[in-house]
């Protein structure tokens, strides 16, 4: 089981960035996928989640209207995307993708079973 996040980088405020997370080694098409982030000196926080089919999504208030989560369920690999627009300096964080089985308590970090290594996003003012 592996989750691999990529796409981070250094951008300016107002720019856009798209993160990707490739999930393999399990039946991730049956899993809820999510993004969390951890800013310097802060706890890891929920960003967005998407249901198994992609029909339902949920966002933290801080990113609603700016970020879009989507997924591509291929036979052996699931790829989850986080399109981030109108980036702000406060979006600077390490972004992690995660997965769990049920569309329940999706904002709670401890409910997730699998985690990938993070990818750094830095937004300069």
């Amino acid at each position: 089981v592996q989750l691999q996040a990529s796409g981070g980088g250094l951008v300016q405020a107002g720019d856009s960035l798209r993160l990707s997370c490739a999930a393999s080694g399990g039946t991730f098409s049956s899993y809820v996928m999510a993004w969390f982030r951890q800013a310097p000196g802060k706890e890891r926080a929920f960003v967005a989640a998407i249901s198994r089919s992609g029909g339902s999504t949920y966002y933290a208030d801080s990113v609603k209207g700016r970020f879009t989560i989507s997924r591509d369920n291929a036979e052996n690999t699931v790829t989850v995307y986080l399109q981030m627009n109108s980036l702000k300096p406060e979006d600077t964080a390490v972004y992690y993708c995660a997965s769990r089985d049920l569309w329940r308590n999706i904002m709670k970090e401890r409910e997730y079973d699998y985690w990938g290594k993070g990818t750094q996003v830095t937004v300069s003012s």
Side-chain angles (χ1 to χ4, degrees):
V1 174
Q2 186 176 18
L3 301 178
Q4 182 66 50
S6 62
L10 171 63
V11 297
Q12 293 186 332
D15 285 350
S16 298
L17 205 58
R18 188 176 83 157
L19 305 183
S20 300
C21 174
S24 60
T27 54
F28 285 101
S29 59
S30 300
Y31 277 67
V32 172
M33 303 296 295
W35 289 95
F36 286 75
R37 67 185 181 184
Q38 187 167 21
K42 295 186 178 180
E43 294 185 351
R44 193 152 56 182
F46 172 81
V47 175
I50 188 166
S51 62
R52 302 170 187 176
S53 67
S56 296
T57 57
Y58 192 79
Y59 298 91
D61 288 343
S62 59
V63 306
K64 202 172 294 182
R66 299 188 298 122
F67 291 11
T68 302
I69 188 171
S70 60
R71 67 187 292 161
D72 179 12
N73 290 339
E75 182 173 348
N76 296 313
T77 302
V78 171
T79 305
V80 182
Y81 302 98
L82 186 67
Q83 177 67 42
M84 304 185 294
N85 298 329
S86 302
L87 283 162
K88 304 175 181 180
E90 51 262 45
D91 294 319
T92 294
V94 178
Y95 284 71
Y96 300 88
C97 60
S99 67
R100 65 155 301 170
D101 55 349
L102 299 176
W103 186 255
R104 185 175 68 194
N105 296 327
I106 57 174
M107 297 180 67
K108 296 186 177 181
E109 177 183 355
R110 66 176 183 271
E111 298 285 341
Y112 286 80
D113 302 305
Y114 302 105
W115 291 84
K117 293 182 180 179
T119 184
Q120 176 71 48
V121 172
T122 304
V123 185
S124 64
S125 57

